[in-house]
């Protein structure tokens, strides 16, 4: 389209080339009501659509989060309970989700298939503009909050999906901190509120407030529509026109007033720790500084660079000063951008607020010293290289590029800024490099951190009783509410609850289901795309080469086979891997090494993983070193990787101990946030050597190892790590994964530098005993897992079965009726079936649902399977970044899965029969008798399922 050209009610305002993305940005407006549209026209098969509304909270009730969930529960054109879930069950979507941010709500989706893309758009647009939830309160109650009362004498309780989701979020100290910091820095605008909803505030939201919020904010005049990739523009704009044309322009002021500088008094809050944990040195101190606006991207980049320079590693000056004085166990400087006013926050963890004045004075001293010429410019230049690499690689949490671009674009567009501002970064980095020697960074540091009038300070204190106090307060509040009701009112609440339950259990009508757009099996290609992986030999070693276009980046993964390591040694190897790059080498101090890495490597990481070969049945753990570099820096990068793998020193015990403590703290936090993954991993350790290895290198067993190492009375593991290090990086262990252009000469040079230490004979890994275990964490919710073994009729049919059970039976019983935020089943090619729930208020009920899954599958096998087959195919072919693609194919190869196997899986999915599912249902029933169980959760959740568990211990 050209400027001023009209199409389906839209007029094109301008087109702007974006060379860094090889794209053209088209800006269009819907003339009748002002809906604003951006399309990134570029060669991208995976198309993205997103509609976003500026949604500005005025309290902590989470109204926009509840809207985000509930508008997806049925619309005028699609009158079924959850069209969103129906789409997951039936389409080829490569991304389908919705997000609530602190000032906007976004509904994004992706698909490679044109018809699918239009179908998905249609359902999403009908959901946001014509949801049934604004005329019928059922979805508001289900997703937001409702009372539950089974009998007149029974206990009145709250339940709701968002309610439980947010309870899970607030189990973490970081959420508690963030809420307080936001409230301090932004007392006068929307950023002071919890847009997701604070659990205690959610039940104060009324249905009429909910309705009014939809009416006011979900209007085309307040909409921003984002498109990316090779879309059929004519069809897409026609589709949009069919929804937008009914609306006249609405005067809606969604500008967010800028927060004037404030410097409030320090606040103190509490966060929950485990009952057995020591509360000594568990205080957290946080400082926040608002330093810039959304339209000052250079300041955001500069703040991010300074955060790395000052606190990015244990040797960074600010962090080092606090750690070495024994004033903290971890220090982070974070930049919060993506909102109208950006801020930085310094978090001093595991400290003693009694020493606050000393801490504050050190912080001031270090910042002063840095601003007065102490800033290391070569360090900043190296960090800018690293930041630019990540900005250009567009790899965030494995989201499709179009989704990342839509979010980046809205981070200026939403506030009336240029939608392209954050889509290209080359000029911004060039400008910053130029300013480096003009004293600009020193000036910015002074302005942002030392003389900043807009700042706040916060202390978090640990509490062992907070969870129980909250629970009692909530119970007392509810008892008070109930006591105020007449007998009729009590019966009314019970009747409402029972009617609500009955309705949840009702299936969708056939007429309702018939409205949903579907694809047919003929839309699915019979063949899967050819593999891009070539196997080669360089310097006698196996190279799995992924021949993909990577824009001048080389991704290198070195897989060191550790077949001869025992489980205990593998735990040590896992610790060793996590230390690489953070310790000194014989050539460089840790800080110098960090500088070289930031300059020449896009990223560097190492971890232990494990594969079991399908053909030989052999289980092999690997220490995988992953790194990326620009082709132009290949020789510097190779030398650095070489140095880390051969010259790292483990004898600096103080450094080692800092990292050990930080690693332990990080894993503890991960388990509390993603307990579902850790619970199922724990239970799976009884079923295969692979499961046992995974538990030893990254599960609760590994946490116990770290906790033991991190005791003052335990001797430092230096010596053991040194011995292990000399064994691990032998060239006879390595398989190379390489994505991008292969330079054989360079790779051979690198491999030949690795020592040729001999490899020992393989260890036979035994499995852990079958167990039913509970682990207590400080949280108001839990995570339940059941793992069992089944004989599969075919791997493909098991994929269809897990898709079917996850999105029908489990979704309806555990999420919709049980209130858990998430639930799922996955079955691997060996027949290991893993059930798990996420942020679950009632693990006991969930475990019963898991046991009954076999019977549920038998019933479900009677349905038409076409939709499930299609969506299972979609799920088996995710959109991957080049590096993820390379790693995925390498993992298949190391597991003995060939291209032929993948084609066979595809065919098996396509030809799944009801008989196969029935066979599998019998297998799941039999397996459930011999299942492993693990529940991680708050004390009340574990108490509820004590009959299902043989043991219970504290995680922390
Ligand atoms: Zn949510």
């Amino acid at each position: 389209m050209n400027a001023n050209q009209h199409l389906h009610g839209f007029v094109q305002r301008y087109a702007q080339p974006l060379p860094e993305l090889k794209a053209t940005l088209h800006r269009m407006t819907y003339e009748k009501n002002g809906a604003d549209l951006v399309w990134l026209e570029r060669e991208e098969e995976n198309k993205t659509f997103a509609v976003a509304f500026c949604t500005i909270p005025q309290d902590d009730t989470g109204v926009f989060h509840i809207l985000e969930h509930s508008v997806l529960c049925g619309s005028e054109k699609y009158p079924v309970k959850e069209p969103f879930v129906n789409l997951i069950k039936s389409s080829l979507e490569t991304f389908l989700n919705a997000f609530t941010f602190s000032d906007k709500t976004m509904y994004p989706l992706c698909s490679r298939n044109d018809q699918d893309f239009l179908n998905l758009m249609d359902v999403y647009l009908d959901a946001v503009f014509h949801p049934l939830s604004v005329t019928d309160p059922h979805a508001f109650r289900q997703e937001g909050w409702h009372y539950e009362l089974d009998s007149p004498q029974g206990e009145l309780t709250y339940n709701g999906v968002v309610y439980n989701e947010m309870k899970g979020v607030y189990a973490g100290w970081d959420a508690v901190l963030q809420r307080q910091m936001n409230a301090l820095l932004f007392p006068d605008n929307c950023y002071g509120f919890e847009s997701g909803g604070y659990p205690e505030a959610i039940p104060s939201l009324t249905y009429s407030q909910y309705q009014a919020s939809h009416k006011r904010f979900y209007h085309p005049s307040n909409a921003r529509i984002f498109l990316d990739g090779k879309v059929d523009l004519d069809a897409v704009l026609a589709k949009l026109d069919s929804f937008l044309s009914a609306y006249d322009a609405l005067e809606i002021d969604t500008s967010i007033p800028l927060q004037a500088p404030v410097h409030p008094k320090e606040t103190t809050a509490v966060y929950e720790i485990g009952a057995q944990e020591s509360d000594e040195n568990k205080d957290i101190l946080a400082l926040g500084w608002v330093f810039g606006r959304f339209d000052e991207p250079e300041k955001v980049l500069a703040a991010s660079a300074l955060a790395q320079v000052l606190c990015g590693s244990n040797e960074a000056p600010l962090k080092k000063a606090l750690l070495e004085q024994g004033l903290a166990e971890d220090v982070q400087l974070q930049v919060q951008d993506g909102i109208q006013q950006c801020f930085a926050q310094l978090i001093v963890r595991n400290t003693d607020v009694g020493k606050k004045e000393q801490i504050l004075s050190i912080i001031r001293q270090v910042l002063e010293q840095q601003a007065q010429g102490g800033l290391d410019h070569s360090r900043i230049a190296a960090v800018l290289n690293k930041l630019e690499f990540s900005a250009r690689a567009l790899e965030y949490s494995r989201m499709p590029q179009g989704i990342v671009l839509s979010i980046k674009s809205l981070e200026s567009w939403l506030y009336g800024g240029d939608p392209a501002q954050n889509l290209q970064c080359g000029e911004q980095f060039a400008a910053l490099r130029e300013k480096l020697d003009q004293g600009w960074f020193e000036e910015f540091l002074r302005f942002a951190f030392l003389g900043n009038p807009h700042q706040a300070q916060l202390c978090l204190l640990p509490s062992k009783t907070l969870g129980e106090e909250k629970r009692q307060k909530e119970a007392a509040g509810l008892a008070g509410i109930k006591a105020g009701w007449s007998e009729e009112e009590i019966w009314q609440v019970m009747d409402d609850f029972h009617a609500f339950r009955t309705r949840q259990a009702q299936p969708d009508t056939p007429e309702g289901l018939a409205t949903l757009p579907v694809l047919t099996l003929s839309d699915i290609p019979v063949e899967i795309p050819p593999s891009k992986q070539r196997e080669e030999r360089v310097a006698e070693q196996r190279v799995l080469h992924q021949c993909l276009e990577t824009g001048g980046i080389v991704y290198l993964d070195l897989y060191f086979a550790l077949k001869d390591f025992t489980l205990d040694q593998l735990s040590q190897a896992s610790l060793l891997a996590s230390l690489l790059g953070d310790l000194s080498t014989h050539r460089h101090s840790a800080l110098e090494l960090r500088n070289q890495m930031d300059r020449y490597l896009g990223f560097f990481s190492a971890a232990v993983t494990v594969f079991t070969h399908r053909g030989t049945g052999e289980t092999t753990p690997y220490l995988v070193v992953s790194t990326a570099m620009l082709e132009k820096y290949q020789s510097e990068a190779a030398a650095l990787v070489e140095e880390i793998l051969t010259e790292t020193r483990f004898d600096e015990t103080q450094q080692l101990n800092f990292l050990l403590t930080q690693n332990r703290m990080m894993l503890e936090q991960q388990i509390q946030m993603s307990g579902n993954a850790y619970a199922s991993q724990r239970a799976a350790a009884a079923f295969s050597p692979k499961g046992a290895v995974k538990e030893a290198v990254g599960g609760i067993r590994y946490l116990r190892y770290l906790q033991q190492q991190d005791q003052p009375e335990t001797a430092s593991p230096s010596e053991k790590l040194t011995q292990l290090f000399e064994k691990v990086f032998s060239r006879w262990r390595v398989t190379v994964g390489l994505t991008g252009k292969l330079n054989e000469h360079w790779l051979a040079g690198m491999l030949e530098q690795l020592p040729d230490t001999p490899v020992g004979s393989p260890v036979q890994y035994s499995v852990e005993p079958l167990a039913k275990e509970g682990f207590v964490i400080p949280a108001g919710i839990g995570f339940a897992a059941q793992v069992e073994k089944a004989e599969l009729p075919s791997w493909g049919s098991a994929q269809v079965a897990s898709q079917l059970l996850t999105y029908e039976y489990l979704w309806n019983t555990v999420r919709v009726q049980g209130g858990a935020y998430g639930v799922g089943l996955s079955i691997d090619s060996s027949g290991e079936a893993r059930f798990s729930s996420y942020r679950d208020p009632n693990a006991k009920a969930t475990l019963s649902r898991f046991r009954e899954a076999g019977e549920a599958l038998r019933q479900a096998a009677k349905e038409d399977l076409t939709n499930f087959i299609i969506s299972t195919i979609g799920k088996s072919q995710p959109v991957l970044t080049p590096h993820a693609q390379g790693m995925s194919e390498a993992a298949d190869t190391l597991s003995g899965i060939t291209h032929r196997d993948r084609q066979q899986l595809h065919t098996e999915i396509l030809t799944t029969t009801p008989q196969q599912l029935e066979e599998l249902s019998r297998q799941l029933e039999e397996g459930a008798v011999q299942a492993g169980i693990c529940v991680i959760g708050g004390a009340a959740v574990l108490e509820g399922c004590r009959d299902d568990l043989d043991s219970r211990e504290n995680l922390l």
Side-chain angles (χ1 to χ4, degrees):
M1 266 171 98
N2 299 316
N4 295 322
Q5 204 179 326
H6 294 255
L7 190 57
H8 300 297
F10 284 89
V11 59
Q12 163 123 340
R13 288 163 56 190
Y14 60 85
Q16 174 187 0
L18 300 177
E20 279 179 37
L21 289 175
K22 299 195 179 97
T24 304
L25 182 151
H26 300 267
R27 180 85 178 265
M28 302 176 207
T29 302
Y30 193 72
E31 289 188 285
K32 189 173 173 192
N33 50 40
D36 201 355
L37 183 145
V38 159
W39 171 38
L40 294 186
E41 180 184 15
R42 60 188 189 117
E43 289 297 313
E44 170 61 61
E45 293 295 337
N46 189 39
K47 297 163 261 288
T48 300
F49 162 82
V51 56
F53 302 98
C54 186
T55 51
I56 304 171
Q58 287 174 324
D59 53 39
D60 288 329
T61 58
V63 59
F64 295 114
H65 186 190
I66 297 170
L67 268 169
E68 176 235 297
H69 278 237
S70 53
V71 302
L72 296 169
C73 295
S75 61
E76 287 173 16
K77 198 165 164 191
Y78 303 109
V80 294
K81 290 199 286 189
E82 292 183 278
F84 171 72
V85 183
N86 291 85
L87 292 177
I88 295 179
K89 291 190 287 197
S90 67
S91 94
L92 289 170
E93 51 87 11
T94 51
F95 189 90
L96 194 64
N97 213 330
F99 302 125
T100 307
F101 295 84
S102 52
D103 53 14
K104 60 181 174 277
T105 311
M106 203 178 150
Y107 296 84
L109 60 87
C110 304
S111 179
R112 300 182 183 98
N113 178 296
D114 274 313
Q115 187 54 50
D116 196 39
F117 186 69
L118 290 171
N119 292 351
L120 294 167
M121 271 183 71
D122 202 64
V123 177
Y124 260 36
L125 286 164
D126 204 52
V128 297
F129 290 120
H130 314 128
L132 296 179
S133 68
V134 296
T135 48
D136 173 351
H138 180 77
F140 165 76
R141 291 186 186 144
Q142 174 178 297
E143 299 299 316
W145 72 275
H146 61 270
Y147 289 122
E148 298 203 340
L149 183 63
D150 273 315
S151 67
Q153 296 75 33
E155 191 189 349
L156 181 69
T157 55
Y158 293 125
N159 205 349
V161 173
V162 168
Y163 179 71
N164 290 320
E165 180 189 345
M166 296 313 293
K167 270 194 169 178
V169 169
Y170 276 95
W173 62 270
D174 46 341
V176 179
L177 184 147
Q178 204 56 66
R179 173 163 185 257
Q180 298 289 339
M181 184 59 84
N182 291 342
L184 286 175
L185 290 174
F186 301 102
D188 304 319
N189 67 18
C190 63
Y191 299 116
F193 298 112
E194 169 55 85
S195 59
Y198 190 60
E200 286 164 36
I202 289 172
S204 67
L205 180 67
T206 66
Y207 183 55
S208 59
Q209 287 167 333
Y210 167 93
Q211 289 170 303
S213 300
H214 180 268
K215 192 161 186 229
R216 177 161 152 76
F217 291 96
Y218 280 54
H219 189 282
S221 302
N222 185 34
R224 283 151 188 90
I225 298 161
F226 180 91
L227 296 165
D228 175 48
K230 281 172 80 172
V231 301
D232 177 351
L233 190 68
D234 187 62
V236 165
L237 295 187
K239 173 71 72 194
L240 285 166
D241 188 26
S242 72
F243 284 93
L244 300 177
S245 64
Y247 294 83
D248 288 322
L250 176 77
E251 268 306 321
I252 171 164
D253 180 11
T254 51
S255 61
I256 302 168
L258 284 172
Q259 174 66 54
V262 287
H263 191 159
K265 277 219 301 276
E266 181 190 277
T267 306
T268 300
V270 279
Y271 74 103
E272 193 183 355
I273 59 166
Q276 301 296 312
E277 260 186 287
S278 154
D279 51 11
E280 212 174 306
N281 287 336
K282 284 284 162 61
D283 301 342
I284 300 173
L285 178 70
L287 307 176
W289 299 272
V290 175
F291 65 79
R293 289 163 40 120
F294 73 92
D295 52 1
E296 299 173 307
E298 282 176 20
K299 283 191 182 171
V300 176
L301 292 176
S304 307
L306 285 177
Q308 290 288 313
V309 171
L310 296 170
C311 280
S313 71
N314 290 344
E315 287 70 34
L318 184 52
K319 189 169 184 177
K320 184 177 176 169
L322 293 168
L323 290 182
E324 286 192 343
Q325 298 278 331
L327 291 169
E329 290 188 323
D330 198 8
V331 182
Q332 296 161 9
L333 182 55
Q334 305 169 337
V335 175
Q336 304 282 340
D337 59 348
I339 54 176
Q340 190 171 238
Q341 284 166 288
C342 316
F343 63 99
Q345 59 188 13
L346 181 73
I347 301 173
V348 183
R349 273 191 79 190
N350 290 7
T351 183
D352 171 5
V353 291
K355 298 179 185 155
K356 192 168 61 191
E357 290 314 318
Q358 194 187 348
I359 295 170
L360 292 174
S361 129
I362 290 180
I363 294 172
R364 250 190 324 269
Q365 270 172 31
V366 173
L367 292 175
E368 279 290 351
Q369 183 267 339
Q370 293 286 311
Q372 282 167 10
L375 265 183
D376 178 349
H377 286 194
S378 73
R379 180 86 196 96
I380 297 178
V383 168
L384 288 175
N385 269 15
K386 181 182 161 173
L387 291 175
E388 184 167 6
F389 183 96
S390 346
R392 284 175 186 265
L394 289 175
E395 286 198 28
Y396 296 102
S397 336
R398 304 202 155 201
M399 284 199 276
Q401 274 196 359
I403 302 294
V404 177
L405 294 170
S406 69
I407 294 172
K408 283 187 163 215
S409 179
L410 281 163
E411 288 176 354
S412 57
W413 186 15
L414 192 78
Y415 316 112
D418 176 5
Q421 178 190 287
N422 301 326
L423 299 180
Q424 301 202 101
C425 58
E427 275 178 32
Q428 293 157 8
F429 278 102
L432 281 175
R433 286 193 181 95
E434 211 150 278
K435 287 174 177 169
L436 191 51
D437 290 323
Q438 300 165 0
W440 186 88
F441 275 85
E442 284 78 4
E443 221 171 285
F444 177 68
L445 193 157
R446 200 169 276 293
F447 155 80
F449 299 107
L450 285 165
N452 193 333
H454 195 163
Q455 58 170 294
Q457 187 172 315
L458 169 68
C459 292
L460 286 193
L461 307 178
S463 161
K464 295 184 181 190
T465 51
L466 180 68
E468 185 52 24
E469 283 162 27
K470 276 191 179 171
R471 211 185 56 74
Q472 283 179 8
K473 192 177 152 203
E474 185 184 284
L478 282 158
I481 292 173
K482 194 180 159 204
W485 285 337
S486 67
E487 202 169 319
E488 290 81 67
E489 282 170 319
I490 289 179
W491 280 97
Q492 186 61 52
V493 170
M494 273 173 50
D495 288 349
D496 284 352
F497 174 51
H498 290 142
F500 173 82
R501 275 275 179 263
T502 311
R503 188 160 158 198
Q504 279 185 319
Q506 265 165 15
D508 284 317
T509 62
E511 300 78 50
L513 289 171
T515 60
L516 290 162
V518 288
L519 301 171
T520 62
L521 286 178
S522 61
D523 292 313
I524 311 283
V526 183
E527 304 263 320
I528 61 169
S531 168
K532 298 258 172 68
Q533 183 180 286
R534 303 279 165 269
E535 229 182 290
E536 331 211 357
R537 286 236 157 226
V538 174
E540 298 180 67
Q541 307 307 326
R542 188 180 189 194
V543 178
L544 308 172
H545 178 208
Q546 196 72 25
C547 317
L548 291 177
E549 168 54 43
T550 54
I553 299 174
V554 178
Y555 298 94
L556 177 71
D557 305 300
L558 301 171
Y559 297 82
F560 293 90
L562 307 180
K563 276 190 242 205
D564 49 335
F565 280 45
T566 63
L567 285 181
D568 287 340
Q569 287 174 323
L570 288 171
S571 293
Q572 290 167 11
S574 183
L575 171 62
L576 183 145
S578 70
L579 300 170
L580 294 175
D582 282 323
L583 291 169
S584 314
T585 63
H586 292 293
R587 235 180 297 176
H588 289 107
S589 74
L591 187 60
E592 289 164 352
L593 183 70
R594 169 69 44 194
N595 214 27
Q596 297 283 310
M597 288 165 74
D598 287 346
R599 192 175 295 265
Y600 297 121
L601 300 178
F603 62 81
F604 177 93
S605 69
V608 179
T609 186
V610 53
F611 302 111
T612 294
H613 196 280
R614 263 188 120 192
T616 64
E618 204 178 24
T619 293
T620 310
Y622 292 89
L623 192 154
V624 190
V625 175
S626 285
T627 181
M629 63 209 76
L630 294 174
E631 276 167 29
K632 64 176 176 182
Y633 291 141
Q634 257 179 347
S635 51
E636 291 90 342
L640 256 177
V641 171
E642 204 68 65
E643 181 182 335
I644 295 169
L645 300 190
T646 56
E647 296 186 37
T648 296
R649 294 173 55 180
F650 296 88
D651 57 349
E652 293 174 331
T653 38
Q654 190 189 35
Q655 294 308 318
L656 191 64
N657 291 340
F658 287 152
L659 290 166
L660 192 57
T661 304
Q662 289 160 1
N663 276 340
R664 181 207 19 98
M665 284 160 62
M666 196 159 71
L667 183 56
E668 287 171 348
Q669 195 179 349
Q670 277 167 0
I671 297 177
Q672 292 179 69
M673 286 297 112
S674 311
N676 51 329
Y678 291 91
S680 55
Q681 182 163 293
R682 178 76 175 183
F687 288 88
S688 66
K690 179 175 161 184
V693 171
K694 280 210 158 162
E695 178 62 12
V697 301
I700 292 175
R701 176 175 166 145
Y702 179 58
L703 176 68
R704 292 297 186 228
Y705 164 76
L706 286 183
Q707 286 171 333
Q708 202 189 349
Q709 299 303 312
D710 192 21
Q711 294 283 338
E713 63 274 14
T714 309
S716 164
S718 294
E719 213 170 298
K720 278 191 184 143
L721 291 171
T722 307
Q723 285 166 10
L724 209 65
F725 180 67
E726 281 162 11
K727 250 178 103 176
V728 173
F729 298 108
S730 161
R731 97 162 81 133
W732 305 115
R733 296 184 185 276
V734 76
T735 302
V736 178
L738 190 136
T739 304
K741 209 163 114 194
L742 171 65
N743 176 337
E744 284 194 33
H745 179 69
W746 165 80
L747 186 59
M750 182 169 175
L751 293 175
E752 278 156 7
Q753 293 299 312
L754 288 172
D756 56 1
T757 327
V759 177
S761 44
V763 170
Q764 297 298 323
Y765 299 106
S766 47
V767 301
E768 300 279 353
L770 189 68
K772 300 182 191 310
E773 299 173 287
F775 293 92
V776 187
I777 54 169
I781 42 74
F783 307 89
Q786 172 181 310
V787 177
E788 55 179 276
K789 197 88 176 190
E791 289 273 339
L792 303 183
S794 73
W795 185 19
S797 64
Q799 299 304 300
V800 177
S802 54
Q803 176 83 350
L804 201 167
L805 281 172
T806 297
Y807 290 107
E808 291 257 291
Y809 167 70
L810 293 172
W811 184 275
N812 288 330
T813 56
V814 179
R815 172 158 162 142
V816 175
Q817 293 165 27
Y821 181 42
V823 63
L825 163 66
S826 67
I827 306 178
D828 74 6
S829 64
S830 76
E832 185 185 292
R834 297 181 179 205
F835 294 89
S836 67
S837 69
Y838 183 64
R839 295 186 182 166
D840 185 348
N842 188 348
K844 180 172 184 58
T846 299
L847 289 172
S848 302
R849 301 295 86 79
F850 291 167
R851 277 192 293 274
E852 293 153 6
E855 172 59 24
L857 181 60
R858 179 168 310 116
Q859 296 305 322
K862 295 170 186 154
E863 290 176 36
D864 181 7
L865 299 177
T866 313
N867 286 342
F868 288 103
I869 290 174
I870 291 169
S871 61
T872 306
I873 290 284
K875 217 172 127 220
S876 72
Q877 293 168 9
V879 172
L880 297 174
T881 60
H883 183 222
Q885 174 74 27
M887 288 201 89
S888 159
E889 283 212 37
D892 277 358
T893 304
L894 296 175
S895 307
I897 297 170
T898 61
H899 186 71
R900 236 168 75 206
D901 296 329
R902 279 193 290 268
Q903 176 62 50
Q904 191 189 335
L905 173 65
H906 185 79
T907 311
E908 285 172 3
I909 295 172
L910 280 175
T911 55
T912 295
T913 64
Q915 291 73 27
Q916 287 175 316
L917 297 194
E918 235 178 84
E919 170 57 26
L920 187 59
S921 75
R922 266 194 299 281
Q923 291 288 335
L924 285 177
E925 275 175 328
E926 281 169 29
V929 182
Q930 283 292 312
I933 306 276
C934 180
V935 181
I936 299 174
V941 172
L942 285 186
E943 188 50 33
C945 57
R946 65 172 183 273
D947 297 343
D948 298 287
L949 304 174
D950 295 334
S951 69
R952 190 184 343 173
E953 58 186 275
N954 289 308
L955 188 82
L956 304 178

